[in-house]
Amino acid sequence: MAQILLLNGPNLNLLGEREPEIYGRTTLKEIEARVTAKAAGAGHRCDCFQSNHEGQLIDWLHEKRSANFLLLNAGGLTHTGIALRDAVAAIDTPFVEIHISNIYRREPFRARSYFSDLAVGLIVGLGPQGYEFAAEFAINHLARAGEVAG
Ligand code: CA2
């Protein structure tokens, strides 16, 4: 059994409640439940966390540093969060960067990410379903890593 992490940054607790035209109508609780169910279906555990505070996100990642895969939507910290980037780099856990909206079709400041160059890959602009695609990728990635290790 592998451990998958789902980490969401600032304001993503508001999913499904505000700005549905940009972020959809699915709540974060629903996303967490769907990703956890997908992980469980493949025999893996999923730990979920959201915070509006960069330090709390960093502390949680430090605690979970032995995890096998990370699904990360850093919210607005994507474009500003050097300390969170350093934490992600330090724990050495492979990760997929997720954005619900297409950050390349929005304000120019959203096109810069402090995480993309460290990520295995990105899922951008596919709505809340992007989290489920990322979970499927993580499961396949872990299976491939297991084959290599085994
Ligand atoms: O598209 C994404 O997933 C973002 O990471 C969301 C961040 C934004 O700063 C990034 O540029 C792109 C913002 C999250 C705000 O979340 C809300 C959700 C519902 C209602 C209001 C805000």
Side-chain angles (χ1 to χ4, degrees), residues 8-20 22-24 73-79 98-103 106-107 109-111 123-125 131:
N8 280 285
N11 296 308
L12 289 159
N13 54 312
L14 298 176
L15 282 177
E17 294 171 24
R18 303 275 161 84
E19 302 188 58
I22 302 178
Y23 298 114
N73 185 347
L77 291 171
T78 302
H79 322 295
I98 301 162
H99 297 290
I100 297 166
S101 62
N102 182 348
I103 55 175
R106 299 183 64 190
E107 304 94 325
F109 65 82
R110 293 190 200 273
I123 293 182
V124 171
Y131 288 91

Side-chain angles (χ1 to χ4, degrees), residues 38-78:
K38 264 198 193 299
H44 303 314
R45 182 173 123 201
C46 181
D47 292 345
C48 305
F49 186 66
Q50 185 277 332
S51 176
N52 295 323
H53 306 280
E54 188 169 11
Q56 286 186 0
L57 297 166
I58 292 169
D59 286 346
W60 191 79
L61 278 179
H62 288 177
E63 253 174 55
K64 304 283 180 182
R65 63 177 168 266
S66 61
N68 306 92
F69 205 92
L70 169 66
L71 310 175
L72 174 68
N73 185 347
L77 291 171
T78 302

Side-chain angles (χ1 to χ4, degrees), residues 68-69 94-95 120 135-147:
N68 306 92
F69 205 92
F95 74 98
V120 176
E136 277 168 35
F137 175 83
I139 290 163
N140 291 334
H141 179 91
L142 290 166
R144 285 197 300 273
E147 277 167 26

